[in-house]
Short mmCIF file of all heavy atoms in Angstrom, two decimals:
data_model
loop_
_atom_site.label_atom_id
_atom_site.label_comp_id
_atom_site.label_asym_id
_atom_site.label_seq_id
_atom_site.Cartn_x
_atom_site.Cartn_y
_atom_site.Cartn_z
N MET J 1 -169.43 -65.37 108.02
CA MET J 1 -169.56 -66.21 106.84
C MET J 1 -169.07 -65.45 105.62
O MET J 1 -169.51 -64.34 105.35
CB MET J 1 -171.02 -66.61 106.67
CG MET J 1 -171.26 -67.54 105.55
SD MET J 1 -172.89 -68.25 105.72
CE MET J 1 -173.50 -68.06 104.10
N ALA J 2 -168.18 -66.04 104.88
CA ALA J 2 -167.61 -65.40 103.69
C ALA J 2 -168.55 -65.55 102.50
O ALA J 2 -169.26 -66.55 102.36
CB ALA J 2 -166.27 -66.03 103.36
N VAL J 3 -168.54 -64.56 101.65
CA VAL J 3 -169.35 -64.59 100.44
C VAL J 3 -168.55 -65.30 99.35
O VAL J 3 -167.38 -65.01 99.13
CB VAL J 3 -169.70 -63.16 99.98
CG1 VAL J 3 -170.46 -63.19 98.67
CG2 VAL J 3 -170.49 -62.44 101.05
N ASP J 4 -169.20 -66.22 98.65
CA ASP J 4 -168.57 -66.92 97.53
C ASP J 4 -168.93 -66.17 96.26
O ASP J 4 -169.94 -66.43 95.61
CB ASP J 4 -169.07 -68.36 97.49
CG ASP J 4 -168.38 -69.20 96.44
OD1 ASP J 4 -167.69 -68.62 95.56
OD2 ASP J 4 -168.54 -70.43 96.47
N TYR J 5 -168.08 -65.18 95.90
CA TYR J 5 -168.38 -64.31 94.77
C TYR J 5 -168.40 -65.06 93.45
O TYR J 5 -169.19 -64.73 92.56
CB TYR J 5 -167.37 -63.16 94.71
CG TYR J 5 -167.54 -62.17 95.83
CD1 TYR J 5 -166.57 -62.01 96.80
CD2 TYR J 5 -168.69 -61.39 95.92
CE1 TYR J 5 -166.72 -61.11 97.84
CE2 TYR J 5 -168.87 -60.49 96.96
CZ TYR J 5 -167.88 -60.35 97.91
OH TYR J 5 -168.04 -59.46 98.93
N LYS J 6 -167.56 -66.04 93.29
CA LYS J 6 -167.55 -66.80 92.03
C LYS J 6 -168.86 -67.57 91.85
O LYS J 6 -169.40 -67.62 90.75
CB LYS J 6 -166.36 -67.72 91.98
CG LYS J 6 -165.05 -66.96 91.86
CD LYS J 6 -163.94 -67.84 91.34
CE LYS J 6 -162.63 -67.10 91.30
NZ LYS J 6 -162.48 -66.17 90.22
N ARG J 7 -169.38 -68.10 92.93
CA ARG J 7 -170.65 -68.81 92.85
C ARG J 7 -171.80 -67.84 92.57
O ARG J 7 -172.69 -68.12 91.77
CB ARG J 7 -170.89 -69.56 94.16
CG ARG J 7 -172.03 -70.50 94.13
CD ARG J 7 -172.07 -71.33 95.38
NE ARG J 7 -173.22 -72.19 95.37
CZ ARG J 7 -173.65 -72.87 96.39
NH1 ARG J 7 -172.99 -72.81 97.53
NH2 ARG J 7 -174.71 -73.62 96.31
N ALA J 8 -171.77 -66.67 93.23
CA ALA J 8 -172.78 -65.65 92.99
C ALA J 8 -172.72 -65.17 91.55
O ALA J 8 -173.76 -65.01 90.89
CB ALA J 8 -172.59 -64.48 93.95
N LEU J 9 -171.52 -64.96 91.04
CA LEU J 9 -171.34 -64.51 89.67
C LEU J 9 -171.96 -65.52 88.70
O LEU J 9 -172.67 -65.13 87.76
CB LEU J 9 -169.85 -64.32 89.37
CG LEU J 9 -169.50 -63.85 87.97
CD1 LEU J 9 -169.92 -62.41 87.78
CD2 LEU J 9 -168.01 -64.00 87.74
N ALA J 10 -171.71 -66.79 88.93
CA ALA J 10 -172.25 -67.84 88.05
C ALA J 10 -173.78 -67.85 88.09
O ALA J 10 -174.43 -67.97 87.05
CB ALA J 10 -171.70 -69.20 88.46
N ALA J 11 -174.35 -67.68 89.28
CA ALA J 11 -175.81 -67.67 89.41
C ALA J 11 -176.42 -66.45 88.72
O ALA J 11 -177.43 -66.56 88.01
CB ALA J 11 -176.21 -67.70 90.88
N TYR J 12 -175.83 -65.28 88.93
CA TYR J 12 -176.34 -64.07 88.28
C TYR J 12 -176.22 -64.15 86.77
O TYR J 12 -177.08 -63.67 86.04
CB TYR J 12 -175.62 -62.82 88.78
CG TYR J 12 -176.05 -62.39 90.16
CD1 TYR J 12 -175.12 -62.15 91.16
CD2 TYR J 12 -177.40 -62.23 90.47
CE1 TYR J 12 -175.52 -61.75 92.43
CE2 TYR J 12 -177.80 -61.84 91.73
CZ TYR J 12 -176.86 -61.60 92.70
OH TYR J 12 -177.26 -61.21 93.95
N LYS J 13 -175.14 -64.77 86.28
CA LYS J 13 -174.95 -64.90 84.84
C LYS J 13 -176.04 -65.74 84.21
O LYS J 13 -176.54 -65.42 83.13
CB LYS J 13 -173.57 -65.47 84.53
CG LYS J 13 -173.24 -65.38 83.07
CD LYS J 13 -171.78 -65.61 82.82
CE LYS J 13 -171.52 -65.37 81.34
NZ LYS J 13 -170.13 -65.37 81.00
N ILE J 14 -176.44 -66.81 84.88
CA ILE J 14 -177.52 -67.65 84.37
C ILE J 14 -178.80 -66.84 84.25
O ILE J 14 -179.47 -66.86 83.21
CB ILE J 14 -177.75 -68.88 85.27
CG1 ILE J 14 -176.56 -69.84 85.15
CG2 ILE J 14 -179.06 -69.59 84.92
CD1 ILE J 14 -176.54 -70.94 86.20
N GLY J 15 -179.14 -66.10 85.30
CA GLY J 15 -180.34 -65.27 85.26
C GLY J 15 -180.24 -64.16 84.24
O GLY J 15 -181.20 -63.87 83.51
N ALA J 16 -179.06 -63.53 84.15
CA ALA J 16 -178.86 -62.41 83.21
C ALA J 16 -179.00 -62.88 81.77
O ALA J 16 -179.65 -62.21 80.96
CB ALA J 16 -177.49 -61.80 83.44
N GLU J 17 -178.41 -64.02 81.47
CA GLU J 17 -178.51 -64.55 80.11
C GLU J 17 -179.94 -64.96 79.77
O GLU J 17 -180.32 -64.99 78.61
CB GLU J 17 -177.55 -65.71 79.92
CG GLU J 17 -176.10 -65.26 79.90
CD GLU J 17 -175.10 -66.39 79.89
OE1 GLU J 17 -175.47 -67.55 80.20
OE2 GLU J 17 -173.92 -66.11 79.61
N GLY J 18 -180.74 -65.24 80.80
CA GLY J 18 -182.14 -65.58 80.61
C GLY J 18 -183.04 -64.36 80.50
O GLY J 18 -184.26 -64.49 80.36
N GLY J 19 -182.45 -63.16 80.59
CA GLY J 19 -183.23 -61.94 80.41
C GLY J 19 -183.75 -61.31 81.69
O GLY J 19 -184.54 -60.37 81.64
N ASN J 20 -183.30 -61.78 82.84
CA ASN J 20 -183.75 -61.24 84.12
C ASN J 20 -183.03 -59.93 84.41
O ASN J 20 -181.81 -59.91 84.61
CB ASN J 20 -183.48 -62.28 85.22
CG ASN J 20 -183.95 -61.82 86.57
OD1 ASN J 20 -183.32 -60.97 87.18
ND2 ASN J 20 -185.05 -62.39 87.02
N ALA J 21 -183.79 -58.82 84.43
CA ALA J 21 -183.19 -57.48 84.59
C ALA J 21 -182.45 -57.31 85.92
O ALA J 21 -181.34 -56.76 85.92
CB ALA J 21 -184.26 -56.40 84.42
N PRO J 22 -182.99 -57.75 87.06
CA PRO J 22 -182.22 -57.61 88.30
C PRO J 22 -180.89 -58.38 88.26
O PRO J 22 -179.88 -57.89 88.77
CB PRO J 22 -183.15 -58.17 89.38
CG PRO J 22 -184.52 -57.96 88.83
CD PRO J 22 -184.37 -58.20 87.35
N CYS J 23 -180.88 -59.54 87.64
CA CYS J 23 -179.63 -60.30 87.51
C CYS J 23 -178.66 -59.59 86.56
O CYS J 23 -177.46 -59.56 86.82
CB CYS J 23 -179.90 -61.71 87.00
SG CYS J 23 -180.68 -62.79 88.23
N GLN J 24 -179.18 -59.00 85.49
CA GLN J 24 -178.33 -58.26 84.57
C GLN J 24 -177.68 -57.08 85.29
O GLN J 24 -176.49 -56.83 85.14
CB GLN J 24 -179.14 -57.77 83.37
CG GLN J 24 -179.59 -58.89 82.47
CD GLN J 24 -180.64 -58.49 81.47
OE1 GLN J 24 -181.32 -57.48 81.63
NE2 GLN J 24 -180.79 -59.29 80.43
N HIS J 25 -178.49 -56.38 86.08
CA HIS J 25 -177.96 -55.25 86.85
C HIS J 25 -176.89 -55.72 87.83
O HIS J 25 -175.81 -55.13 87.92
CB HIS J 25 -179.06 -54.51 87.60
CG HIS J 25 -178.52 -53.62 88.66
ND1 HIS J 25 -177.92 -52.42 88.37
CD2 HIS J 25 -178.41 -53.79 89.99
CE1 HIS J 25 -177.49 -51.87 89.50
NE2 HIS J 25 -177.78 -52.69 90.49
N GLN J 26 -177.18 -56.77 88.57
CA GLN J 26 -176.23 -57.24 89.58
C GLN J 26 -174.94 -57.73 88.95
O GLN J 26 -173.86 -57.50 89.49
CB GLN J 26 -176.86 -58.34 90.44
CG GLN J 26 -176.07 -58.67 91.66
CD GLN J 26 -175.92 -57.49 92.62
OE1 GLN J 26 -176.81 -56.66 92.74
NE2 GLN J 26 -174.79 -57.42 93.29
N LEU J 27 -175.04 -58.36 87.81
CA LEU J 27 -173.85 -58.81 87.10
C LEU J 27 -173.02 -57.59 86.67
O LEU J 27 -171.80 -57.56 86.82
CB LEU J 27 -174.23 -59.66 85.90
CG LEU J 27 -173.12 -60.38 85.16
CD1 LEU J 27 -172.29 -61.23 86.09
CD2 LEU J 27 -173.72 -61.22 84.05
N GLY J 28 -173.70 -56.56 86.17
CA GLY J 28 -173.01 -55.32 85.83
C GLY J 28 -172.33 -54.71 87.03
O GLY J 28 -171.20 -54.24 86.95
N TYR J 29 -173.00 -54.75 88.16
CA TYR J 29 -172.44 -54.20 89.40
C TYR J 29 -171.18 -54.97 89.81
O TYR J 29 -170.17 -54.37 90.17
CB TYR J 29 -173.47 -54.26 90.52
CG TYR J 29 -172.95 -53.69 91.82
CD1 TYR J 29 -172.95 -52.33 92.04
CD2 TYR J 29 -172.46 -54.53 92.81
CE1 TYR J 29 -172.45 -51.80 93.22
CE2 TYR J 29 -171.96 -54.01 93.99
CZ TYR J 29 -171.96 -52.65 94.20
OH TYR J 29 -171.47 -52.13 95.36
N MET J 30 -171.26 -56.29 89.74
CA MET J 30 -170.10 -57.10 90.13
C MET J 30 -168.91 -56.81 89.22
O MET J 30 -167.77 -56.81 89.67
CB MET J 30 -170.45 -58.58 90.11
CG MET J 30 -171.42 -58.99 91.21
SD MET J 30 -171.80 -60.74 91.21
CE MET J 30 -170.31 -61.38 91.99
N LEU J 31 -169.18 -56.53 87.96
CA LEU J 31 -168.11 -56.26 87.01
C LEU J 31 -167.57 -54.83 87.11
O LEU J 31 -166.43 -54.57 86.75
CB LEU J 31 -168.61 -56.49 85.58
CG LEU J 31 -168.81 -57.95 85.19
CD1 LEU J 31 -169.71 -58.05 83.97
CD2 LEU J 31 -167.48 -58.61 84.92
N SER J 32 -168.39 -53.91 87.59
CA SER J 32 -167.99 -52.50 87.54
C SER J 32 -167.46 -51.94 88.85
O SER J 32 -166.67 -51.01 88.84
CB SER J 32 -169.16 -51.63 87.07
OG SER J 32 -170.18 -51.58 88.04
N GLU J 33 -167.89 -52.44 89.95
CA GLU J 33 -167.51 -51.80 91.21
C GLU J 33 -166.18 -52.29 91.74
O GLU J 33 -165.18 -51.62 91.60
CB GLU J 33 -168.62 -51.97 92.25
CG GLU J 33 -169.88 -51.20 91.88
CD GLU J 33 -169.64 -49.72 91.61
OE1 GLU J 33 -169.00 -49.03 92.42
OE2 GLU J 33 -170.08 -49.24 90.57
N GLU J 34 -166.14 -53.42 92.31
CA GLU J 34 -164.90 -53.93 92.90
C GLU J 34 -164.36 -55.15 92.17
O GLU J 34 -163.36 -55.72 92.58
CB GLU J 34 -165.13 -54.29 94.38
CG GLU J 34 -165.59 -53.13 95.23
CD GLU J 34 -164.52 -52.07 95.41
OE1 GLU J 34 -163.32 -52.41 95.40
OE2 GLU J 34 -164.89 -50.89 95.54
N GLY J 35 -165.03 -55.56 91.12
CA GLY J 35 -164.60 -56.75 90.41
C GLY J 35 -164.82 -58.01 91.22
O GLY J 35 -164.06 -58.96 91.14
N TYR J 36 -165.90 -57.99 92.01
CA TYR J 36 -166.18 -59.12 92.90
C TYR J 36 -166.23 -60.43 92.12
O TYR J 36 -167.09 -60.65 91.29
CB TYR J 36 -167.52 -58.92 93.60
CG TYR J 36 -167.57 -57.73 94.51
CD1 TYR J 36 -168.47 -56.71 94.28
CD2 TYR J 36 -166.71 -57.63 95.59
CE1 TYR J 36 -168.53 -55.61 95.12
CE2 TYR J 36 -166.76 -56.53 96.43
CZ TYR J 36 -167.67 -55.53 96.19
OH TYR J 36 -167.71 -54.44 97.02
N GLY J 37 -165.29 -61.31 92.39
CA GLY J 37 -165.28 -62.64 91.81
C GLY J 37 -164.87 -62.71 90.36
O GLY J 37 -164.85 -63.79 89.78
N CYS J 38 -164.55 -61.57 89.72
CA CYS J 38 -164.30 -61.62 88.29
C CYS J 38 -163.30 -60.59 87.78
O CYS J 38 -162.84 -60.70 86.66
CB CYS J 38 -165.62 -61.43 87.55
SG CYS J 38 -166.50 -59.94 88.03
N GLY J 39 -162.99 -59.60 88.54
CA GLY J 39 -162.15 -58.51 88.05
C GLY J 39 -163.01 -57.42 87.44
O GLY J 39 -164.13 -57.68 87.00
N VAL J 40 -162.52 -56.21 87.41
CA VAL J 40 -163.27 -55.08 86.88
C VAL J 40 -163.22 -55.10 85.36
O VAL J 40 -162.16 -55.26 84.76
CB VAL J 40 -162.69 -53.75 87.40
CG1 VAL J 40 -163.37 -52.56 86.75
CG2 VAL J 40 -162.84 -53.66 88.92
N ASP J 41 -164.39 -54.97 84.73
CA ASP J 41 -164.51 -54.92 83.27
C ASP J 41 -165.65 -53.95 82.95
O ASP J 41 -166.81 -54.35 82.86
CB ASP J 41 -164.79 -56.31 82.72
CG ASP J 41 -164.82 -56.35 81.19
OD1 ASP J 41 -164.95 -55.28 80.55
OD2 ASP J 41 -164.73 -57.45 80.63
N TYR J 42 -165.31 -52.67 82.80
CA TYR J 42 -166.34 -51.65 82.59
C TYR J 42 -167.13 -51.85 81.30
O TYR J 42 -168.33 -51.61 81.27
CB TYR J 42 -165.72 -50.25 82.59
CG TYR J 42 -165.17 -49.83 83.93
CD1 TYR J 42 -163.85 -49.45 84.07
CD2 TYR J 42 -165.97 -49.83 85.07
CE1 TYR J 42 -163.34 -49.05 85.29
CE2 TYR J 42 -165.47 -49.45 86.29
CZ TYR J 42 -164.15 -49.06 86.40
OH TYR J 42 -163.66 -48.68 87.61
N LYS J 43 -166.46 -52.28 80.26
CA LYS J 43 -167.17 -52.47 78.98
C LYS J 43 -168.22 -53.57 79.09
O LYS J 43 -169.33 -53.42 78.59
CB LYS J 43 -166.18 -52.76 77.86
CG LYS J 43 -165.36 -51.54 77.50
CD LYS J 43 -164.44 -51.79 76.34
CE LYS J 43 -163.63 -50.51 76.09
NZ LYS J 43 -162.82 -50.60 74.91
N GLN J 44 -167.88 -54.66 79.74
CA GLN J 44 -168.85 -55.74 79.91
C GLN J 44 -169.95 -55.33 80.88
O GLN J 44 -171.12 -55.67 80.69
CB GLN J 44 -168.15 -57.02 80.38
CG GLN J 44 -169.02 -58.24 80.33
CD GLN J 44 -169.49 -58.57 78.92
OE1 GLN J 44 -168.75 -58.49 77.96
NE2 GLN J 44 -170.74 -58.95 78.79
N ALA J 45 -169.59 -54.60 81.92
CA ALA J 45 -170.59 -54.10 82.87
C ALA J 45 -171.60 -53.23 82.15
O ALA J 45 -172.81 -53.33 82.39
CB ALA J 45 -169.91 -53.32 83.99
N LEU J 46 -171.11 -52.39 81.26
CA LEU J 46 -171.99 -51.50 80.50
C LEU J 46 -173.00 -52.28 79.67
O LEU J 46 -174.17 -51.92 79.61
CB LEU J 46 -171.13 -50.61 79.60
CG LEU J 46 -171.80 -49.47 78.88
CD1 LEU J 46 -172.41 -48.49 79.87
CD2 LEU J 46 -170.80 -48.75 77.99
N VAL J 47 -172.56 -53.38 79.08
CA VAL J 47 -173.46 -54.23 78.29
C VAL J 47 -174.61 -54.74 79.16
O VAL J 47 -175.78 -54.66 78.78
CB VAL J 47 -172.68 -55.41 77.67
CG1 VAL J 47 -173.64 -56.45 77.08
CG2 VAL J 47 -171.70 -54.92 76.62
N TRP J 48 -174.27 -55.24 80.36
CA TRP J 48 -175.32 -55.79 81.24
C TRP J 48 -176.23 -54.69 81.78
O TRP J 48 -177.44 -54.87 81.86
CB TRP J 48 -174.69 -56.60 82.37
CG TRP J 48 -174.08 -57.86 81.87
CD1 TRP J 48 -172.76 -58.18 81.86
CD2 TRP J 48 -174.76 -58.98 81.29
NE1 TRP J 48 -172.57 -59.42 81.29
CE2 TRP J 48 -173.78 -59.94 80.94
CE3 TRP J 48 -176.09 -59.27 81.02
CZ2 TRP J 48 -174.11 -61.16 80.34
CZ3 TRP J 48 -176.41 -60.48 80.43
CH2 TRP J 48 -175.43 -61.41 80.10
N TYR J 49 -175.66 -53.55 82.14
CA TYR J 49 -176.49 -52.43 82.60
C TYR J 49 -177.44 -51.98 81.50
O TYR J 49 -178.61 -51.69 81.76
CB TYR J 49 -175.62 -51.24 83.03
CG TYR J 49 -174.98 -51.35 84.38
CD1 TYR J 49 -173.72 -50.83 84.60
CD2 TYR J 49 -175.62 -51.95 85.45
CE1 TYR J 49 -173.10 -50.89 85.84
CE2 TYR J 49 -175.02 -52.03 86.70
CZ TYR J 49 -173.76 -51.49 86.88
OH TYR J 49 -173.18 -51.56 88.11
N GLU J 50 -176.96 -51.91 80.26
CA GLU J 50 -177.82 -51.49 79.15
C GLU J 50 -178.96 -52.47 78.93
O GLU J 50 -180.08 -52.06 78.62
CB GLU J 50 -176.99 -51.32 77.87
CG GLU J 50 -176.13 -50.08 77.90
CD GLU J 50 -175.21 -49.97 76.70
OE1 GLU J 50 -174.97 -50.98 75.99
OE2 GLU J 50 -174.73 -48.84 76.46
N MET J 51 -178.69 -53.76 79.07
CA MET J 51 -179.75 -54.76 78.89
C MET J 51 -180.83 -54.59 79.96
O MET J 51 -182.02 -54.66 79.66
CB MET J 51 -179.17 -56.17 78.95
CG MET J 51 -178.31 -56.52 77.77
SD MET J 51 -177.56 -58.14 78.00
CE MET J 51 -178.14 -58.95 76.54
N ALA J 52 -180.40 -54.37 81.20
CA ALA J 52 -181.36 -54.17 82.28
C ALA J 52 -182.09 -52.84 82.12
O ALA J 52 -183.30 -52.75 82.36
CB ALA J 52 -180.65 -54.23 83.63
N ALA J 53 -181.37 -51.81 81.68
CA ALA J 53 -181.99 -50.49 81.49
C ALA J 53 -183.03 -50.54 80.37
O ALA J 53 -184.05 -49.84 80.44
CB ALA J 53 -180.92 -49.45 81.18
N ALA J 54 -182.79 -51.35 79.36
CA ALA J 54 -183.76 -51.50 78.26
C ALA J 54 -185.09 -52.05 78.77
O ALA J 54 -186.13 -51.83 78.15
CB ALA J 54 -183.19 -52.40 77.17
N GLN J 55 -185.04 -52.73 79.90
CA GLN J 55 -186.26 -53.24 80.54
C GLN J 55 -186.76 -52.28 81.62
O GLN J 55 -187.63 -52.62 82.41
CB GLN J 55 -185.97 -54.62 81.15
CG GLN J 55 -185.58 -55.65 80.12
CD GLN J 55 -185.28 -56.97 80.77
OE1 GLN J 55 -186.17 -57.59 81.37
NE2 GLN J 55 -184.05 -57.42 80.66
N GLU J 56 -186.16 -51.08 81.64
CA GLU J 56 -186.51 -50.01 82.57
C GLU J 56 -186.30 -50.39 84.03
O GLU J 56 -187.05 -49.99 84.92
CB GLU J 56 -187.94 -49.52 82.31
CG GLU J 56 -188.10 -48.95 80.92
CD GLU J 56 -189.48 -48.40 80.66
OE1 GLU J 56 -190.26 -48.17 81.60
OE2 GLU J 56 -189.78 -48.18 79.47
N PHE J 57 -185.25 -51.14 84.29
CA PHE J 57 -184.89 -51.48 85.67
C PHE J 57 -184.22 -50.25 86.27
O PHE J 57 -183.16 -49.82 85.80
CB PHE J 57 -183.96 -52.70 85.69
CG PHE J 57 -183.69 -53.22 87.07
CD1 PHE J 57 -184.68 -53.86 87.79
CD2 PHE J 57 -182.45 -53.04 87.65
CE1 PHE J 57 -184.44 -54.33 89.08
CE2 PHE J 57 -182.19 -53.51 88.93
CZ PHE J 57 -183.19 -54.16 89.65
N PRO J 58 -184.81 -49.64 87.31
CA PRO J 58 -184.36 -48.35 87.81
C PRO J 58 -182.89 -48.28 88.22
O PRO J 58 -182.19 -47.31 87.89
CB PRO J 58 -185.26 -48.08 89.02
CG PRO J 58 -186.45 -48.93 88.81
CD PRO J 58 -185.99 -50.12 88.04
N LEU J 59 -182.38 -49.27 88.93
CA LEU J 59 -180.99 -49.22 89.36
C LEU J 59 -180.02 -49.26 88.18
O LEU J 59 -178.97 -48.62 88.21
CB LEU J 59 -180.68 -50.36 90.33
CG LEU J 59 -181.20 -50.19 91.75
CD1 LEU J 59 -180.95 -51.45 92.57
CD2 LEU J 59 -180.57 -48.99 92.41
N ALA J 60 -180.38 -49.99 87.15
CA ALA J 60 -179.53 -50.05 85.97
C ALA J 60 -179.47 -48.67 85.30
O ALA J 60 -178.40 -48.24 84.84
CB ALA J 60 -180.03 -51.10 84.99
N LEU J 61 -180.59 -47.99 85.25
CA LEU J 61 -180.62 -46.63 84.68
C LEU J 61 -179.72 -45.71 85.50
O LEU J 61 -178.95 -44.91 84.94
CB LEU J 61 -182.05 -46.10 84.65
CG LEU J 61 -183.01 -46.86 83.73
CD1 LEU J 61 -184.45 -46.49 84.02
CD2 LEU J 61 -182.66 -46.59 82.28
N LEU J 62 -179.78 -45.83 86.81
CA LEU J 62 -178.94 -45.02 87.69
C LEU J 62 -177.46 -45.31 87.47
O LEU J 62 -176.65 -44.40 87.32
CB LEU J 62 -179.31 -45.29 89.15
CG LEU J 62 -178.39 -44.65 90.21
CD1 LEU J 62 -178.56 -43.14 90.19
CD2 LEU J 62 -178.71 -45.20 91.57
N TYR J 63 -177.11 -46.58 87.41
CA TYR J 63 -175.70 -46.95 87.27
C TYR J 63 -175.17 -46.61 85.88
O TYR J 63 -173.99 -46.29 85.73
CB TYR J 63 -175.49 -48.42 87.61
CG TYR J 63 -175.35 -48.63 89.10
CD1 TYR J 63 -176.47 -48.63 89.93
CD2 TYR J 63 -174.11 -48.80 89.68
CE1 TYR J 63 -176.36 -48.78 91.29
CE2 TYR J 63 -173.98 -48.95 91.06
CZ TYR J 63 -175.12 -48.94 91.86
OH TYR J 63 -174.99 -49.10 93.22
N LEU J 64 -176.01 -46.66 84.85
CA LEU J 64 -175.58 -46.21 83.53
C LEU J 64 -175.22 -44.73 83.57
O LEU J 64 -174.19 -44.32 83.02
CB LEU J 64 -176.68 -46.44 82.49
CG LEU J 64 -176.74 -47.77 81.81
CD1 LEU J 64 -177.95 -47.83 80.89
CD2 LEU J 64 -175.48 -48.06 81.04
N GLY J 65 -176.07 -43.94 84.22
CA GLY J 65 -175.80 -42.52 84.37
C GLY J 65 -174.53 -42.27 85.15
O GLY J 65 -173.73 -41.39 84.80
N THR J 66 -174.33 -43.04 86.21
CA THR J 66 -173.13 -42.90 87.03
C THR J 66 -171.88 -43.24 86.24
O THR J 66 -170.86 -42.53 86.31
CB THR J 66 -173.23 -43.79 88.29
OG1 THR J 66 -174.41 -43.42 89.01
CG2 THR J 66 -172.02 -43.64 89.17
N MET J 67 -171.94 -44.32 85.46
CA MET J 67 -170.79 -44.69 84.65
C MET J 67 -170.49 -43.61 83.62
O MET J 67 -169.32 -43.27 83.39
CB MET J 67 -171.02 -46.04 83.97
CG MET J 67 -170.91 -47.22 84.91
SD MET J 67 -171.06 -48.81 84.07
CE MET J 67 -169.47 -48.91 83.25
N ALA J 68 -171.52 -43.06 83.01
CA ALA J 68 -171.33 -41.99 82.02
C ALA J 68 -170.72 -40.76 82.69
O ALA J 68 -169.78 -40.14 82.15
CB ALA J 68 -172.65 -41.63 81.36
N TYR J 69 -171.22 -40.40 83.84
CA TYR J 69 -170.72 -39.23 84.57
C TYR J 69 -169.24 -39.35 84.89
O TYR J 69 -168.48 -38.40 84.74
CB TYR J 69 -171.53 -39.02 85.85
CG TYR J 69 -171.09 -37.82 86.65
CD1 TYR J 69 -171.52 -36.55 86.29
CD2 TYR J 69 -170.24 -37.97 87.74
CE1 TYR J 69 -171.11 -35.44 87.02
CE2 TYR J 69 -169.82 -36.87 88.47
CZ TYR J 69 -170.26 -35.60 88.10
OH TYR J 69 -169.84 -34.51 88.81
N PHE J 70 -168.82 -40.54 85.32
CA PHE J 70 -167.43 -40.74 85.70
C PHE J 70 -166.56 -41.25 84.54
O PHE J 70 -165.37 -41.53 84.73
CB PHE J 70 -167.33 -41.71 86.88
CG PHE J 70 -167.79 -41.10 88.17
CD1 PHE J 70 -169.00 -41.45 88.71
CD2 PHE J 70 -167.02 -40.14 88.81
CE1 PHE J 70 -169.44 -40.87 89.90
CE2 PHE J 70 -167.44 -39.56 89.99
CZ PHE J 70 -168.67 -39.93 90.54
N GLY J 71 -167.14 -41.37 83.34
CA GLY J 71 -166.37 -41.77 82.16
C GLY J 71 -165.87 -43.20 82.19
O GLY J 71 -164.81 -43.50 81.68
N LYS J 72 -166.67 -44.09 82.78
CA LYS J 72 -166.30 -45.51 82.84
C LYS J 72 -167.02 -46.26 81.74
O LYS J 72 -168.22 -46.12 81.57
CB LYS J 72 -166.65 -46.10 84.20
CG LYS J 72 -165.88 -45.48 85.34
CD LYS J 72 -166.31 -46.07 86.66
CE LYS J 72 -165.55 -45.46 87.82
NZ LYS J 72 -165.99 -46.01 89.09
N GLY J 73 -166.32 -47.12 81.04
CA GLY J 73 -166.95 -47.95 80.03
C GLY J 73 -167.01 -47.26 78.69
O GLY J 73 -167.53 -47.68 77.74
#
């Protein structure tokens, strides 16, 4: 079964805009790793990771550190 990345992106965006930290993190991940369904956009990914990190979501904190380490965003 194929993953519908565009549909997943739309669903995560709704949750992320509503303040849901896991959705913010996942949206950042989709934008930063392989560009699943949207293309790679490190600057936008950073915005979503920062929003999730502000809520102390552990994975977002990790990915912010990883992006900083590798100079992305």
Side-chain angles (χ1 to χ4, degrees):
M1 183 165 133
V3 176
D4 186 346
Y5 290 114
K6 292 200 183 284
R7 190 172 177 192
L9 181 70
Y12 284 128
K13 191 165 186 172
I14 290 169
E17 289 173 345
N20 182 285
C23 288
Q24 291 167 341
H25 164 75
Q26 192 62 33
L27 189 54
Y29 181 81
M30 291 182 78
L31 288 161
S32 69
E33 293 306 309
E34 301 292 330
Y36 297 120
C38 54
V40 174
D41 185 343
Y42 293 124
K43 289 183 182 186
Q44 191 61 42
L46 189 61
V47 169
W48 291 113
Y49 282 145
E50 286 175 342
M51 291 175 124
Q55 297 179 64
E56 299 183 16
F57 188 71
L59 284 174
L61 295 166
L62 172 69
Y63 277 78
L64 273 176
T66 303
M67 286 185 74
Y69 181 81
F70 288 105
K72 296 178 180 179

